[in-house]
Amino acid sequence: MTISALAFTLLNVFVKSLEGFSVYQIVFFRAAGSLFFTIPFLLKSKIPMLGKKRGLLVMRSIYGLISMLFFFLALKHTAMGAAVSIRYIAPIFAAIFALFYLKENIKMVQWVYFGIAFLGVFIIKGADTQFQIGGTTYALISAVFAGLVYVTIRKIGAAEHPVVIVNYFMVISSVVCGLIALTDWVHPVGREWLVLMSLGVFGYFAQLYMTKGFQQCETNKIAPFKYLEVIFTTGIGILYFKEDYGVFIILGMAIILIALSLNLKVKTQN
């Protein structure tokens, strides 16, 4: 899980550093790079790429694409640590959507923790005065659509291989963003090629090692290590990008992570 957090952090840093490229071109390289891993795996394993629940696979991909676009926008428009912290409230939206669409229950104490987490978001939002439309808003929209991703994957269930789900997401993202990016394409030069191509590599291995972590340890014990990404990203943001984290942003981030950890503890209790 620590390796996964490091890989996600490097992905965030590279996205932040690509100032001269549109978010569509960045998403295109992020998605296209992962296809070098997913397609060979599916071919070697003789797993049908089109899957069975194609409508849900397309919906999951669209939700994921929107979430990724807004998260990358958030990274460009606000402090990285704040954007990552807000993105982590996606399970809250997933729980709310599941309440209506999957008829799952939410414990009363979870609603309290949800409220506390949103208080952290509002504190960060109040401190985000750099832009008319703050990066925290983009991160919040990203979290909403990530919540829809989680619920859609739950509806797909075990009917599809995980790599089929990811491959759908990467194919649709690369095609859609590739076509849009052509209208404002910036030709990479020198090390920019390396940075852009590495997005898919870091994204793939971040997902891979996160999956391995969950497979080898109980969820309530390993999941909090996901939040190392916030610490790593914040540290690099301060040291490399000279990001300014005021007291209120740090407070908001801490409130979000504490509330999410408490919610996870309640959710995993028998």
Side-chain angles (χ1 to χ4, degrees):
M1 192 64 79
T2 302
I3 295 173
S4 172
L6 283 169
F8 274 125
T9 298
L10 290 172
L11 175 62
N12 298 337
V13 169
F14 286 160
V15 170
K16 182 83 170 182
S17 67
L18 292 167
E19 297 180 354
F21 297 88
S22 71
V23 68
Y24 298 107
Q25 192 169 349
I26 293 173
V27 170
F28 166 74
F29 277 99
R30 160 69 179 90
S34 291
L35 292 176
F36 285 99
F37 298 95
T38 59
I39 291 178
F41 175 86
L42 293 174
L43 291 175
K44 181 180 179 181
S45 303
K46 297 182 179 179
I47 300 173
M49 292 187 188
L50 293 180
K52 304 169 186 175
K53 298 188 175 183
R54 297 170 187 173
L56 288 174
L57 287 167
V58 171
M59 284 178 58
R60 179 263 180 268
S61 301
I62 293 173
Y63 293 148
L65 172 57
I66 296 172
S67 179
M68 191 191 303
L69 282 169
F70 276 99
F71 178 61
F72 286 179
L73 280 171
L75 290 175
K76 286 177 169 291
H77 288 82
T78 194
M80 292 191 299
V84 173
S85 298
I86 295 173
R87 185 193 62 180
Y88 271 123
I89 69 171
I92 294 178
F93 291 111
I96 295 173
F97 292 139
L99 176 66
F100 294 100
Y101 295 111
L102 303 179
K103 307 304 179 183
E104 296 183 358
N105 295 322
I106 300 177
K107 298 177 182 178
M108 184 59 66
V109 68
Q110 287 183 271
W111 287 110
V112 175
Y113 294 145
F114 291 173
I116 294 173
F118 278 112
L119 174 62
V121 174
F122 288 129
I123 291 174
I124 293 174
K125 178 60 181 172
D128 183 15
T129 57
Q130 288 181 285
F131 299 90
Q132 187 175 3
I133 301 178
T136 51
T137 302
Y138 294 137
L140 193 60
I141 296 173
S142 173
V144 171
F145 280 94
L148 287 170
V149 168
Y150 298 155
V151 172
T152 308
I153 290 175
R154 293 275 287 280
K155 286 181 71 69
I156 293 172
E160 302 288 357
H161 192 284
V163 180
V164 172
I165 299 174
V166 173
N167 192 64
Y168 252 86
F169 175 31
M170 294 298 117
V171 168
I172 289 177
S173 296
S174 59
V175 171
V176 172
C177 288
L179 291 174
I180 297 174
L182 286 176
T183 62
D184 189 28
W185 185 269
V186 176
H187 189 71
V189 178
R191 64 180 292 274
E192 292 175 343
W193 278 109
L194 180 62
V195 174
L196 286 165
M197 295 303 296
S198 70
L199 297 178
V201 177
F202 285 117
Y204 175 79
F205 282 102
Q207 294 286 344
L208 174 65
Y209 280 98
M210 182 178 68
T211 302
K212 286 179 177 290
F214 279 120
Q215 287 175 333
Q216 297 178 20
C217 191
E218 296 177 18
T219 299
N220 62 331
K221 293 181 179 179
I222 198 67
F225 282 87
K226 289 176 61 180
Y227 304 142
L228 286 173
E229 180 188 351
V230 177
I231 298 173
F232 295 152
T233 303
T234 302
I236 295 178
I238 294 172
L239 295 174
Y240 184 76
F241 291 104
K242 308 301 179 183
E243 292 180 336
D244 182 18
Y245 288 83
V247 174
F248 286 106
I249 291 181
I250 295 294
L251 176 63
M253 291 166 56
I255 289 174
I256 291 172
L257 297 185
I258 291 171
L260 292 177
S261 297
L262 292 172
N263 174 63
L264 179 65
K265 184 177 180 180
V266 171
K267 188 176 180 181
T268 54
Q269 287 175 343
N270 294 326

